[in-house]
Amino acid sequence: MPQEVYQHTFPNGLTLLAERMAHVRSAALNFLVPAGCAYDPPEQLGIASVLSDLITRGAGDFDSRALTLALDSLGLDRDESVGALHMRFWGATLARNLPAALEIYADILRRPHLPADEIDPVKALALQDLQSLEDEPRQKALLELRRRHYPAPLGRDRRGTEEGINRLNARALHTHYERLFRPQGTILSVAGNIEWESLRDQVGRLFGDWEAADVPALKIGTAPGKRTHLSKETTQTHIGIAYASVPIGQPDYYAAMGAVNVLSGGMSARLFTEVREKRGLCYAVWASYQTFKDRAGVICYAGTTNERAQETLDVTLGELQRLQAGIELEEVERVQAGLKSSLIMQEESTSARAGSLASDWYYLGRVRTFDEIQSAINALSPESIVSHLRRCPPGDFTIVTLGPKALRLRKDFTAKNAKAAK
């Protein structure tokens, strides 16, 4: 069945994307607003997370309780989240309830109350979320890894800081909302059993007169540093490793994805097999790919006992650098099977399709077809992946460890790191 994908950009800059999925009875909506934590003022870190909670506590003609009831009465499975660059509003419901859901989200995005009497409870929840990191050493190590690997403000944590959250007041939150919540750069994607013409007309009515304004430019700084140790008396050591890759849209993108999946695409992947199964070094080990428009990275994690932490770091770095020495055909076939399985499951999920529409449009300015993606997956080979790895070898590692004892980087890795950085 051919895909039915539609796109329309309104004069004020809002982009509407839709995919009709006639075989389902549901629909999902997905708003990406360029208001992520990278836009937090330096003295108000955490304001995006506080705003993402406060913004749903009353909007339009609804007070906080009435708004919650209105959304629940539609059977809406929903979420609000904050990433580095976007604030995301997501919801899924029966297709017949989509028009009513859009009416409510127009109020949330355009006419939020941001009630002053709700600010302190929201700030208290944000502080609890921040403080909970002390009980999650793995997450704390990975957040520090991102902060050190990516240039500021791209590596920021959405939770912000205690000082930043405590500084927030009604005026600061209203100012931040007015500065960032504009149609320019905002993407609304919808997938499900929808009719395009009526959807486009409704969105035009709800958002067409939303006043346009340019998205504030981000000032990209420098990454803080390549290596650090967070000292904490724990029974485990947490190891985070990051290195540069190619961003989505580049010719090597699918080869880069293939390489990461050779490392960490299931229980037969290299990291799981070599680091955990053969040597029993750690209880958890994985790698994942993360992208921005102009840069990308591979994030790796291993959690192990303190006694075996140094060996775990050495073996994991060795596996990363061994990739370019050669990849077997059966590894590529496993990667292809996994990627195709994910693609097929995505075809059947309205939520996944709505997310992919918005992601493709943001990164590429177009929506990839299933055939295009499948062809690229089919084209993967040991030679194409190794060729990519020789052009963009794992190296110049950012390394963060958390535990009672700092680890050392072997001299041979240090030399390769320096060579990769040149």
Side-chain angles (χ1 to χ4, degrees):
M1 183 183 299
Q3 288 177 262
E4 294 184 60
V5 177
Y6 305 92
Q7 180 271 329
H8 181 77
T9 298
F10 294 92
N12 61 7
L14 173 71
T15 294
L16 170 64
L17 304 162
E19 181 168 346
R20 176 169 166 76
M21 302 168 68
H23 60 286
V24 302
R25 299 170 61 187
S26 63
L29 59 86
N30 182 78
F31 284 94
L32 286 184
V33 182
C37 60
Y39 294 96
D40 289 4
E43 70 282 1
Q44 296 173 348
L45 298 181
I47 192 171
S49 286
V50 171
L51 181 59
S52 72
D53 187 340
L54 190 66
I55 201 169
T56 59
R57 299 197 178 205
D61 294 331
F62 302 101
D63 62 19
S64 182
R65 177 64 176 166
L67 182 60
T68 299
L69 288 173
L71 292 169
D72 288 349
S73 70
L74 297 175
L76 198 70
D77 185 12
R78 62 186 176 92
D79 183 52
E80 300 82 39
S81 60
V82 175
L85 298 174
H86 292 96
M87 195 177 297
R88 179 175 181 250
F89 300 84
W90 167 85
T93 184
L94 295 176
R96 66 171 180 265
N97 291 337
L98 178 66
L102 285 170
E103 297 278 347
I104 296 174
Y105 273 96
D107 281 336
I108 292 172
L109 268 63
R110 298 192 58 189
R111 293 173 287 277
H113 295 175
L114 307 181
D117 61 345
E118 298 267 12
I119 292 175
D120 284 343
V122 172
K123 287 169 60 177
L125 290 173
L127 289 170
Q128 288 178 39
D129 189 21
L130 180 63
Q131 291 158 4
S132 71
L133 283 177
E134 294 305 315
D135 299 321
E136 299 180 33
R138 178 185 67 87
Q139 183 74 349
K140 187 173 183 179
L142 289 172
L143 289 173
E144 181 64 15
L145 180 69
R146 282 181 55 86
R147 190 184 74 82
R148 287 186 168 271
H149 183 67
Y150 293 114
L154 299 180
R156 279 181 185 166
D157 175 29
R158 63 166 181 82
R159 295 170 185 82
T161 64
E162 184 174 348
E163 295 79 7
I165 294 169
N166 283 330
R167 287 194 182 102
L168 301 181
N169 54 35
R171 182 177 179 180
L173 287 158
H174 278 272
T175 299
H176 194 71
Y177 165 80
E178 293 290 346
R179 184 171 71 97
L180 296 178
F181 272 67
R182 299 289 184 175
Q184 188 71 28
T186 295
I187 300 170
L188 166 58
S189 55
V190 178
N193 198 337
I194 56 96
E195 296 295 334
W196 167 246
E197 290 80 8
S198 59
L199 173 65
R200 183 190 59 203
D201 291 347
Q202 184 189 17
V203 172
R205 174 175 58 81
L206 295 174
F207 295 95
D209 62 347
W210 196 4
E211 186 178 346
D214 290 336
V215 178
L218 280 178
K219 295 181 180 179
I220 305 298
T222 57
K226 286 295 181 183
R227 289 193 291 277
T228 194
H229 174 71
L230 306 177
S231 183
K232 190 176 180 67
E233 289 302 319
T234 59
T235 56
Q236 292 99 24
T237 294
H238 302 268
I239 301 168
I241 304 167
Y243 58 92
S245 186
V246 297
I248 187 171
Q250 295 297 309
D252 271 9
Y253 166 70
Y254 288 99
M257 289 292 291
V260 173
N261 279 274
V262 168
L263 282 173
S264 187
M267 290 187 178
S268 57
R270 286 198 185 183
L271 289 180
F272 194 92
T273 300
E274 298 294 332
V275 184
R276 174 176 163 147
E277 294 296 287
K278 287 186 179 181
R279 296 175 175 83
L281 287 175
C282 59
Y283 56 87
V285 60
W286 50 259
S288 65
Y289 171 89
Q290 298 179 348
T291 191
F292 293 94
K293 277 187 175 181
D294 62 343
R295 71 196 73 221
V298 177
I299 304 294
C300 307
Y301 168 79
T304 184
T305 61
N306 297 330
E307 295 75 19
R308 309 203 71 179
Q310 183 63 58
E311 186 181 1
T312 300
L313 174 62
D314 294 343
V315 172
T316 302
L317 288 173
E319 287 303 315
L320 296 179
Q321 296 189 322
R322 189 170 71 88
L323 262 183
Q324 60 185 300
I327 291 171
E328 299 297 326
L329 178 60
E330 66 178 20
E331 291 181 296
V332 177
E333 290 173 342
R334 173 187 58 77
V335 167
Q336 289 172 322
L339 292 175
K340 288 178 183 178
S341 177
S342 297
L343 186 63
I344 290 170
M345 288 188 286
Q346 187 185 107
E347 288 185 63
E348 300 174 355
S349 168
T350 57
S351 298
R353 286 307 302 150
S356 292
L357 292 173
S359 178
D360 275 4
W361 190 264
Y362 171 71
Y363 287 116
L364 304 173
R366 63 184 183 87
V367 176
R368 294 173 296 170
T369 66
F370 289 127
D371 288 344
E372 175 189 347
I373 298 172
Q374 185 160 301
S375 294
I377 295 171
N378 288 336
L380 290 175
S381 67
E383 293 78 16
S384 68
I385 296 175
V386 169
S387 178
H388 154 70
L389 288 166
R390 288 175 178 167
R391 287 190 294 271
C392 186
D396 194 21
F397 298 113
T398 303
I399 300 173
V400 172
T401 55
L402 185 152
K405 184 179 178 181
L407 306 181
R408 66 186 183 279
L409 190 63
R410 276 181 7 204
K411 289 183 178 179
D412 54 335
F413 290 132
T414 303
K416 290 175 183 177
N417 238 25
K419 183 178 179 181
K422 290 181 180 179

